[in-house]
Amino acid sequence: MIQVIQGDITKLAVDAIVNAANSSLLGGGGVDGAIHRAAGPELVFECRMLHGCQTGDAKLTHGYNLPARYVIHAVGPVWRGGHNHESELLASCYRRALEIATERGLTSIAFPNISTGIYGFPKEKACPIAVETVQKFLEEQQTSVSDIRFVCFDEENYRLYREKVAESH
Ligand code: ADP
């Protein structure tokens, strides 16, 4: 049900890939830039109509030229030392993405390591928040989602996620 893989999230043919977006939803660097490049210019047109998104929340668009049907744009917190609700806001991103996928009846969803790039969230703190939030959601909620992939781009996240998911089996 939960898989850890290493690679480029824009290549995955799942129902939805999650984007680590910024609150404007108008594109940025990192995984956001890669998703917009691969999806094509129609994605930013749809994003413009959404009028941004609050930190900790998420919004859905179509996937356009991506192999994924939908993109769920989640806005992670910028790390400001850990006393500014960063952990709760990060957990909220994962939960909101799963709620939106559930509302749409989606089955497969792929997450990047939200906030651990440009936003500076320490990877060893973000990983257990991501994994435990997803596991709790699966335990507590009725959901159509049965295939969850954590897509790690860098070696450190890949190692952290493999260890975390393995220890909870
Ligand atoms: P944030 O601003 O939320 O930190 P980033 O895009 O800078 O977002 O980084 C989030 C994570 O996405 C980082 O771990 C980064 O290595 C990873 N990443 C960057 N490009 C890709 C990609 N094409 N596929 C999957 N993950 C990616």
Short mmCIF file of all heavy atoms in Angstrom, two decimals, residues 26 59 78 81 97 105 138-139 144:
data_model
loop_
_atom_site.label_atom_id
_atom_site.label_comp_id
_atom_site.label_asym_id
_atom_site.label_seq_id
_atom_site.Cartn_x
_atom_site.Cartn_y
_atom_site.Cartn_z
N LEU A 26 1.57 29.59 -8.91
CA LEU A 26 1.91 30.01 -10.28
C LEU A 26 3.25 29.46 -10.76
O LEU A 26 3.79 29.91 -11.76
CB LEU A 26 1.88 31.54 -10.37
CG LEU A 26 0.50 32.14 -10.06
CD1 LEU A 26 0.53 33.65 -10.20
CD2 LEU A 26 -0.58 31.55 -10.96
N LYS A 59 -4.87 22.05 -3.46
CA LYS A 59 -5.91 22.22 -4.49
C LYS A 59 -5.58 21.36 -5.71
O LYS A 59 -4.41 21.19 -6.04
CB LYS A 59 -6.01 23.69 -4.92
CG LYS A 59 -6.55 24.60 -3.82
CD LYS A 59 -6.81 26.02 -4.32
CE LYS A 59 -7.40 26.88 -3.20
NZ LYS A 59 -7.65 28.27 -3.66
N VAL A 78 7.53 26.98 4.98
CA VAL A 78 8.95 27.33 4.96
C VAL A 78 9.46 27.06 6.38
O VAL A 78 8.80 27.41 7.36
CB VAL A 78 9.15 28.82 4.60
CG1 VAL A 78 10.62 29.22 4.68
CG2 VAL A 78 8.59 29.13 3.21
N GLY A 81 12.81 27.51 11.81
CA GLY A 81 13.40 27.14 13.09
C GLY A 81 12.59 26.13 13.89
O GLY A 81 13.07 25.60 14.88
N ALA A 97 -4.08 16.53 0.92
CA ALA A 97 -3.92 15.87 -0.38
C ALA A 97 -4.70 14.55 -0.41
O ALA A 97 -5.38 14.23 -1.39
CB ALA A 97 -2.44 15.63 -0.68
N GLY A 105 -12.38 10.03 -5.43
CA GLY A 105 -12.39 8.58 -5.63
C GLY A 105 -11.13 8.05 -6.28
O GLY A 105 -11.14 7.01 -6.94
N LEU A 138 -4.77 6.40 6.64
CA LEU A 138 -5.22 5.10 6.13
C LEU A 138 -5.92 4.29 7.21
O LEU A 138 -6.87 3.55 6.94
CB LEU A 138 -4.04 4.30 5.57
CG LEU A 138 -3.40 4.86 4.30
CD1 LEU A 138 -2.17 4.03 3.92
CD2 LEU A 138 -4.38 4.91 3.13
N GLU A 139 -5.44 4.43 8.46
CA GLU A 139 -6.06 3.69 9.57
C GLU A 139 -7.42 4.25 9.95
O GLU A 139 -8.32 3.52 10.32
CB GLU A 139 -5.16 3.78 10.81
CG GLU A 139 -3.98 2.82 10.81
CD GLU A 139 -2.92 3.23 11.84
OE1 GLU A 139 -3.29 3.88 12.86
OE2 GLU A 139 -1.75 2.93 11.61
N SER A 144 -10.70 5.73 -0.93
CA SER A 144 -10.50 5.01 -2.19
C SER A 144 -9.01 4.78 -2.45
O SER A 144 -8.64 3.95 -3.28
CB SER A 144 -11.06 5.85 -3.34
OG SER A 144 -10.54 7.18 -3.27
#
